[in-house]
Amino acid sequence: MRRTLRVILGDQLSRSLSGLRGLDRDRDVVLMAEVAAETDYVPHHPKKIAFLFSAMRHFAAELGAAGVEVDYVRLDDPGNSGSLRGEVVRAVARYGAARVVATEPGEWRLLEDMRGWSAAAGVPVEIRDDDRFFCSRAEFARWADGRRQLRMELFYRMMRQRTGLLMEDGKPVGGRWNYDVENRKRLPAGVATAEPLRVAPDAITEEVLALVARRFGDRFGALRPFWFAVTAEQARAALEHFVAHALPSFGDYQDAMREGDDWLFHSALSQYINAGLLLPREVVGRVLAAWRERDLPLNSIEGYIRQIIGWREYVRGIYWLRMPEYATLNGLGNTRPLPAFYWTGETELRCLRQALDQTRREALSHHIQRLMVTGNFALLAGVVPDQVCTWYLAVYADAYEWVELPNTLGMVMHADGGYLGSKPYAASGAYINRMSDYCAGCRYDVAKKNGPDACPLNYLYWNFLAENEVKLRRNPRLAQMYVTLDRLGDERRRAIRDDARRFLDALEPWRADA
Ligand code: FAD
Ligand code: DLZ
């Protein structure tokens, strides 16, 4: 009897994966491959590559220990063709496989490629749905049908009702759908925060770290210290650690930032969930169990569940609904190249320096840093969305296009004309000062509105509203901002424009080919 080849990608490391269902241990062979096409389509952070390669190698070993035959192609194996398609073609020939079974990938470009595998390998290729999500692509499309603009809050309520999570007699637990108003507290000085669980690298990880240092050591990002979990068991321990130490205060300080504090009360679990080491269902189940066991604050529990069954599922739905044209959108008509400091970290704005430095060290930063620091600056500076998206896709250990693109292009850059979110998350220095202690040590003065020492976010904010007036003035959520802009006199408006020009023109642009 001829064999079935089962292909598992680097972010499909789940034993319950659809592509593994019905596997016949006596006949089937699993293919996993480290390939240059995946390491190089954007300059991924070395820590992200090391995390995935180590997790892939551990997953292959686990399958092997469970009696599954695994063909694992390493990046430096002689004969490695450099692409997933090439490896599928080679493996089909090696095993005389009759067919290939795979789970749909998380990126459009790879799904397109996968659709060509059958012709290339000369055997049928079955592409199965990825059902590790709460909401299927078809269900999301049904929900979105006929809506000109989507709103996460409405999607989230539908998901709460559909799953019954945090529901009581058909009503939201506690009487409200959303406790976000309680989740915007500034972190008081002296409050001790939590750290994610750190796992020491084992021999497999050390071998991967040596490979990654050799091959990708010149890229943006520090490889060590490397502390990520690389197995499902370790990732579950990281989840337990989060639930024990950070979850109770997750809600209160969800939007806070503090100098030198990388994690506050965030879970640092997204890289594990997105690679398949943790399933969203088990994360939600564990958080709800902890709530019942320990009577934890509802604003933390609801806030966390909303991120997983709300935002995470919502952005995935939008990605598949709107690709491939979504990636090309530039609704505000931005033309400025990404400033080079995104890749060097060299900027005098302390908030940006902090977020960029953390990104370089850890290949992670928390949501408010991504949205309101690195994202807000790119929005105010009018950077070309495509270059911003490339940066976010490359530098974060949890980044795959299905989740990165809607967050960056839609939520941060408002490049989809308000399809994902009702208004741009634009902010001046006052927001950063309210939510962090960054401004105290900054070379710029957050209290000054104009001039060489003023916080650039202050004049860039008003300049952004002025420059995009035609597209944004009619947005009811920005009405008050335009009333204020209208009240600024001609002299102040001129100063805003001149300061913004001077500052933006002095930014060194990133050159992709440099
Ligand atoms: P927590 O704050 O502990 O949140 C819990 C979990 O909720 C996360 O682990 C994540 O799985 C989920 N979640 C929260 N917010 C979102 C969201 N907006 N979209 C999807 N899932 C969410 N998240 C990614 O997983 N991959 C990305 O490539 C990514 N790119 C982003 C780009 C931008 C510009 C922005 C603004 C956000 C992006 N996010 C992305 C969302 C969010 O910033 C990260 O999920 C979060 O910072 C991960 O850290 P954490 O695990 O500590 O999250
Ligand atoms: C991100 C990534 C990297 C860096 N390397 C590999 C790899 O060598 N082999 C592999 O199967 N997957 C890798 N991945 C994850 C894929 O890029 C991911 O599966 C697609 O982007 C779809 O989400």
Side-chain angles (χ1 to χ4, degrees), residues 250 266-270 273-274 304 307-308 311-312 315 365-367 370-371 392 398-400 403-404 407-408 411-412:
F250 172 82
H266 292 274
S267 65
L269 293 175
S270 50
I273 304 174
N274 295 351
Y304 199 83
Q307 306 312 309
I308 303 283
W311 279 110
R312 188 170 185 275
V315 298
S365 71
H366 61 73
H367 187 66
R370 294 190 209 193
L371 181 65
Y392 276 97
D398 57 19
Y400 305 91
V403 54
E404 172 277 322
N407 270 303
T408 311
M411 189 170 353
V412 161

Short mmCIF file of all heavy atoms in Angstrom, two decimals, residues 250 266-270 273-274 304 307-308 311-312 315 365-367 370-371 392 398-400 403-404 407-408 411-412, ligand 1:
data_model
loop_
_atom_site.label_atom_id
_atom_site.label_comp_id
_atom_site.label_asym_id
_atom_site.label_seq_id
_atom_site.Cartn_x
_atom_site.Cartn_y
_atom_site.Cartn_z
N PHE A 250 -3.78 41.48 35.57
CA PHE A 250 -3.71 41.69 34.11
C PHE A 250 -4.63 42.83 33.68
O PHE A 250 -4.23 43.72 32.93
CB PHE A 250 -4.10 40.39 33.39
CG PHE A 250 -4.25 40.56 31.89
CD1 PHE A 250 -3.14 40.54 31.07
CD2 PHE A 250 -5.51 40.77 31.31
CE1 PHE A 250 -3.26 40.73 29.69
CE2 PHE A 250 -5.64 40.95 29.94
CZ PHE A 250 -4.52 40.93 29.13
N HIS A 266 1.42 41.11 31.63
CA HIS A 266 1.04 40.44 30.38
C HIS A 266 1.51 38.98 30.43
O HIS A 266 2.41 38.62 31.18
CB HIS A 266 1.64 41.17 29.19
CG HIS A 266 1.03 42.52 29.00
ND1 HIS A 266 -0.14 42.70 28.29
CD2 HIS A 266 1.38 43.74 29.48
CE1 HIS A 266 -0.47 43.98 28.32
NE2 HIS A 266 0.44 44.64 29.04
N SER A 267 0.88 38.16 29.57
CA SER A 267 1.12 36.72 29.70
C SER A 267 2.34 36.24 28.94
O SER A 267 2.88 35.18 29.27
CB SER A 267 -0.12 35.95 29.21
OG SER A 267 -0.33 36.16 27.82
N ALA A 268 2.78 36.97 27.91
CA ALA A 268 3.90 36.52 27.06
C ALA A 268 3.67 35.08 26.57
O ALA A 268 4.58 34.26 26.56
CB ALA A 268 5.23 36.65 27.81
N LEU A 269 2.43 34.82 26.17
CA LEU A 269 2.09 33.47 25.70
C LEU A 269 1.80 33.43 24.20
O LEU A 269 1.61 32.35 23.63
CB LEU A 269 0.85 32.96 26.44
CG LEU A 269 0.99 32.68 27.94
CD1 LEU A 269 -0.36 32.29 28.54
CD2 LEU A 269 2.02 31.59 28.22
N SER A 270 1.73 34.60 23.55
CA SER A 270 1.26 34.61 22.15
C SER A 270 2.12 33.77 21.22
O SER A 270 1.61 33.13 20.29
CB SER A 270 1.19 36.06 21.64
OG SER A 270 2.41 36.72 21.91
N ILE A 273 0.95 30.20 21.67
CA ILE A 273 -0.40 29.94 21.12
C ILE A 273 -0.31 29.91 19.60
O ILE A 273 -0.86 29.02 18.95
CB ILE A 273 -1.40 31.02 21.59
CG1 ILE A 273 -1.44 31.12 23.11
CG2 ILE A 273 -2.81 30.72 21.05
CD1 ILE A 273 -2.30 32.27 23.66
N ASN A 274 0.39 30.88 19.02
CA ASN A 274 0.41 30.98 17.55
C ASN A 274 1.19 29.84 16.89
O ASN A 274 0.94 29.49 15.75
CB ASN A 274 0.99 32.32 17.11
CG ASN A 274 0.10 33.48 17.53
OD1 ASN A 274 -1.02 33.26 18.00
ND2 ASN A 274 0.58 34.70 17.38
N TYR A 304 -8.88 39.27 29.60
CA TYR A 304 -8.01 38.26 28.97
C TYR A 304 -8.79 37.40 27.96
O TYR A 304 -8.33 37.17 26.84
CB TYR A 304 -7.36 37.36 30.03
CG TYR A 304 -6.15 36.65 29.46
CD1 TYR A 304 -4.92 37.29 29.39
CD2 TYR A 304 -6.26 35.37 28.92
CE1 TYR A 304 -3.83 36.67 28.81
CE2 TYR A 304 -5.16 34.75 28.34
CZ TYR A 304 -3.95 35.40 28.30
OH TYR A 304 -2.87 34.80 27.71
N GLN A 307 -9.28 39.13 24.70
CA GLN A 307 -8.13 39.14 23.78
C GLN A 307 -8.10 37.86 22.95
O GLN A 307 -7.78 37.89 21.77
CB GLN A 307 -6.80 39.26 24.55
CG GLN A 307 -6.69 40.42 25.53
CD GLN A 307 -7.12 41.73 24.94
OE1 GLN A 307 -6.67 42.12 23.87
NE2 GLN A 307 -8.03 42.41 25.61
N ILE A 308 -8.46 36.75 23.59
CA ILE A 308 -8.32 35.46 22.90
C ILE A 308 -9.53 35.16 22.01
O ILE A 308 -9.37 34.86 20.82
CB ILE A 308 -8.16 34.30 23.93
CG1 ILE A 308 -6.95 34.56 24.85
CG2 ILE A 308 -8.04 32.96 23.21
CD1 ILE A 308 -5.61 34.30 24.24
N TRP A 311 -10.34 39.62 20.03
CA TRP A 311 -9.35 40.20 19.11
C TRP A 311 -8.65 39.18 18.23
O TRP A 311 -8.50 39.35 17.02
CB TRP A 311 -8.31 41.02 19.89
CG TRP A 311 -8.81 42.40 20.23
CD1 TRP A 311 -9.14 42.86 21.48
CD2 TRP A 311 -9.08 43.46 19.30
NE1 TRP A 311 -9.59 44.16 21.38
CE2 TRP A 311 -9.56 44.56 20.06
CE3 TRP A 311 -8.96 43.60 17.93
CZ2 TRP A 311 -9.91 45.77 19.48
CZ3 TRP A 311 -9.32 44.81 17.35
CH2 TRP A 311 -9.79 45.87 18.12
N ARG A 312 -8.18 38.12 18.86
CA ARG A 312 -7.38 37.15 18.09
C ARG A 312 -8.19 36.52 16.95
O ARG A 312 -7.72 36.37 15.83
CB ARG A 312 -6.85 36.08 19.07
CG ARG A 312 -5.85 35.14 18.44
CD ARG A 312 -5.20 34.26 19.53
NE ARG A 312 -4.16 33.44 18.93
CZ ARG A 312 -4.37 32.27 18.35
NH1 ARG A 312 -5.59 31.77 18.32
NH2 ARG A 312 -3.38 31.59 17.81
N VAL A 315 -9.19 39.37 14.16
CA VAL A 315 -8.19 39.75 13.15
C VAL A 315 -7.96 38.61 12.16
O VAL A 315 -7.76 38.83 10.97
CB VAL A 315 -6.84 40.23 13.77
CG1 VAL A 315 -7.03 41.47 14.61
CG2 VAL A 315 -6.15 39.14 14.57
N SER A 365 7.03 42.50 22.50
CA SER A 365 6.73 43.66 23.33
C SER A 365 5.23 43.60 23.53
O SER A 365 4.54 42.90 22.79
CB SER A 365 7.14 44.99 22.66
OG SER A 365 6.31 45.29 21.57
N HIS A 366 4.73 44.29 24.56
CA HIS A 366 3.31 44.08 24.82
C HIS A 366 2.46 45.01 23.96
O HIS A 366 2.97 45.87 23.23
CB HIS A 366 2.99 44.13 26.32
CG HIS A 366 3.31 45.42 26.98
ND1 HIS A 366 2.56 46.54 26.77
CD2 HIS A 366 4.31 45.76 27.83
CE1 HIS A 366 3.07 47.52 27.49
NE2 HIS A 366 4.14 47.08 28.13
N HIS A 367 1.16 44.81 24.06
CA HIS A 367 0.25 45.41 23.10
C HIS A 367 0.34 46.94 23.04
O HIS A 367 0.33 47.53 21.96
CB HIS A 367 -1.18 44.98 23.44
CG HIS A 367 -2.18 45.40 22.42
ND1 HIS A 367 -2.17 44.88 21.14
CD2 HIS A 367 -3.17 46.30 22.47
CE1 HIS A 367 -3.15 45.45 20.46
NE2 HIS A 367 -3.77 46.31 21.24
N ARG A 370 3.27 48.12 21.15
CA ARG A 370 3.13 47.94 19.69
C ARG A 370 2.14 48.94 19.11
O ARG A 370 2.34 49.47 18.02
CB ARG A 370 2.64 46.51 19.38
CG ARG A 370 3.64 45.45 19.76
CD ARG A 370 3.24 44.09 19.23
NE ARG A 370 3.74 43.02 20.09
CZ ARG A 370 3.77 41.74 19.77
NH1 ARG A 370 3.33 41.34 18.60
NH2 ARG A 370 4.24 40.84 20.61
N LEU A 371 1.04 49.17 19.85
CA LEU A 371 -0.03 50.03 19.33
C LEU A 371 0.29 51.51 19.53
O LEU A 371 0.22 52.31 18.58
CB LEU A 371 -1.34 49.68 20.03
CG LEU A 371 -2.60 50.45 19.62
CD1 LEU A 371 -2.97 50.15 18.18
CD2 LEU A 371 -3.78 50.08 20.54
N TYR A 392 6.90 44.69 11.56
CA TYR A 392 6.19 43.96 12.62
C TYR A 392 6.22 42.45 12.37
O TYR A 392 6.30 41.66 13.30
CB TYR A 392 4.73 44.44 12.73
CG TYR A 392 4.56 45.68 13.60
CD1 TYR A 392 4.49 46.95 13.04
CD2 TYR A 392 4.47 45.58 14.98
CE1 TYR A 392 4.33 48.07 13.82
CE2 TYR A 392 4.30 46.70 15.79
CZ TYR A 392 4.23 47.95 15.20
OH TYR A 392 4.08 49.06 16.00
N ASP A 398 5.88 36.14 17.78
CA ASP A 398 4.50 35.65 17.60
C ASP A 398 3.91 36.06 16.25
O ASP A 398 2.71 35.90 16.03
CB ASP A 398 3.60 36.18 18.73
CG ASP A 398 3.59 37.71 18.83
OD1 ASP A 398 3.97 38.37 17.85
OD2 ASP A 398 3.20 38.23 19.90
N ALA A 399 4.75 36.62 15.36
CA ALA A 399 4.18 37.25 14.16
C ALA A 399 4.04 36.30 12.96
O ALA A 399 5.02 35.69 12.53
CB ALA A 399 5.03 38.45 13.77
N TYR A 400 2.84 36.18 12.49
CA TYR A 400 2.49 35.52 11.22
C TYR A 400 1.52 36.47 10.57
O TYR A 400 0.77 37.19 11.26
CB TYR A 400 1.84 34.14 11.46
CG TYR A 400 2.73 33.28 12.30
CD1 TYR A 400 2.60 33.28 13.69
CD2 TYR A 400 3.75 32.53 11.72
CE1 TYR A 400 3.46 32.55 14.49
CE2 TYR A 400 4.61 31.78 12.51
CZ TYR A 400 4.46 31.80 13.89
OH TYR A 400 5.33 31.08 14.68
N VAL A 403 -2.18 37.37 11.73
CA VAL A 403 -2.44 38.16 12.95
C VAL A 403 -1.75 39.51 12.89
O VAL A 403 -2.28 40.52 13.35
CB VAL A 403 -2.09 37.34 14.22
CG1 VAL A 403 -0.67 36.81 14.18
CG2 VAL A 403 -2.31 38.13 15.51
N GLU A 404 -0.56 39.53 12.28
CA GLU A 404 0.19 40.80 12.22
C GLU A 404 -0.49 41.82 11.32
O GLU A 404 -0.61 43.00 11.66
CB GLU A 404 1.63 40.51 11.75
CG GLU A 404 2.47 41.73 11.46
CD GLU A 404 2.24 42.29 10.08
OE1 GLU A 404 2.06 41.52 9.11
OE2 GLU A 404 2.17 43.52 9.96
N ASN A 407 -3.66 43.77 12.53
CA ASN A 407 -3.27 44.62 13.66
C ASN A 407 -2.48 45.84 13.18
O ASN A 407 -2.70 46.96 13.67
CB ASN A 407 -2.40 43.82 14.65
CG ASN A 407 -3.23 43.13 15.72
OD1 ASN A 407 -3.98 43.77 16.44
ND2 ASN A 407 -3.11 41.82 15.80
N THR A 408 -1.57 45.63 12.25
CA THR A 408 -0.69 46.73 11.83
C THR A 408 -1.39 47.61 10.81
O THR A 408 -1.55 48.83 11.00
CB THR A 408 0.62 46.17 11.23
OG1 THR A 408 1.16 45.21 12.12
CG2 THR A 408 1.63 47.29 11.02
N MET A 411 -5.48 48.20 12.48
CA MET A 411 -5.63 48.86 13.78
C MET A 411 -4.66 50.04 13.94
O MET A 411 -5.06 51.12 14.36
CB MET A 411 -5.40 47.84 14.92
CG MET A 411 -5.77 48.46 16.23
SD MET A 411 -5.86 47.39 17.69
CE MET A 411 -5.67 45.76 17.20
N VAL A 412 -3.39 49.84 13.58
CA VAL A 412 -2.40 50.91 13.79
C VAL A 412 -2.44 51.96 12.68
O VAL A 412 -2.54 53.15 12.94
CB VAL A 412 -0.98 50.30 13.91
CG1 VAL A 412 0.09 51.35 13.66
CG2 VAL A 412 -0.79 49.68 15.28
P1 FAD B 1 -1.41 39.52 26.50
O1 FAD B 1 -1.51 40.97 26.73
O2 FAD B 1 -1.11 38.66 27.67
O3 FAD B 1 -2.77 39.08 25.78
C1 FAD B 1 -3.23 37.74 25.82
C2 FAD B 1 -3.31 37.10 24.47
O4 FAD B 1 -4.35 37.67 23.72
C3 FAD B 1 -2.08 37.22 23.61
O5 FAD B 1 -1.14 36.24 23.95
C4 FAD B 1 -2.66 37.03 22.22
O6 FAD B 1 -2.75 35.66 21.89
C5 FAD B 1 -4.05 37.59 22.33
N1 FAD B 1 -4.15 38.95 21.79
C6 FAD B 1 -4.19 40.10 22.48
N2 FAD B 1 -4.39 41.13 21.66
C7 FAD B 1 -4.44 40.63 20.42
C8 FAD B 1 -4.61 41.21 19.14
N3 FAD B 1 -4.78 42.52 18.97
N4 FAD B 1 -4.59 40.39 18.08
C9 FAD B 1 -4.43 39.07 18.22
N5 FAD B 1 -4.27 38.47 19.41
C10 FAD B 1 -4.28 39.24 20.50
N6 FAD B 1 -0.21 39.48 18.23
C11 FAD B 1 0.28 38.34 17.76
O7 FAD B 1 0.02 37.28 18.32
N7 FAD B 1 1.07 38.32 16.63
C12 FAD B 1 1.40 39.46 15.97
O8 FAD B 1 2.10 39.42 14.96
C13 FAD B 1 0.88 40.69 16.48
N8 FAD B 1 1.18 41.85 15.86
C14 FAD B 1 0.69 43.02 16.36
C15 FAD B 1 1.00 44.19 15.71
C16 FAD B 1 0.51 45.39 16.17
C17 FAD B 1 0.82 46.66 15.44
C18 FAD B 1 -0.32 45.41 17.33
C19 FAD B 1 -0.87 46.70 17.83
C20 FAD B 1 -0.62 44.25 17.97
C21 FAD B 1 -0.13 43.03 17.52
N9 FAD B 1 -0.43 41.83 18.15
C22 FAD B 1 0.07 40.66 17.64
C23 FAD B 1 -1.35 41.78 19.30
C24 FAD B 1 -0.69 41.89 20.69
O9 FAD B 1 0.17 43.00 20.73
C25 FAD B 1 0.07 40.63 21.07
O10 FAD B 1 -0.76 39.51 20.91
C26 FAD B 1 0.53 40.69 22.51
O11 FAD B 1 1.36 41.81 22.70
C27 FAD B 1 1.28 39.43 22.87
O12 FAD B 1 1.77 39.53 24.18
P2 FAD B 1 1.11 38.72 25.36
O13 FAD B 1 1.08 37.27 25.02
O14 FAD B 1 1.83 39.12 26.60
O15 FAD B 1 -0.35 39.28 25.34
#
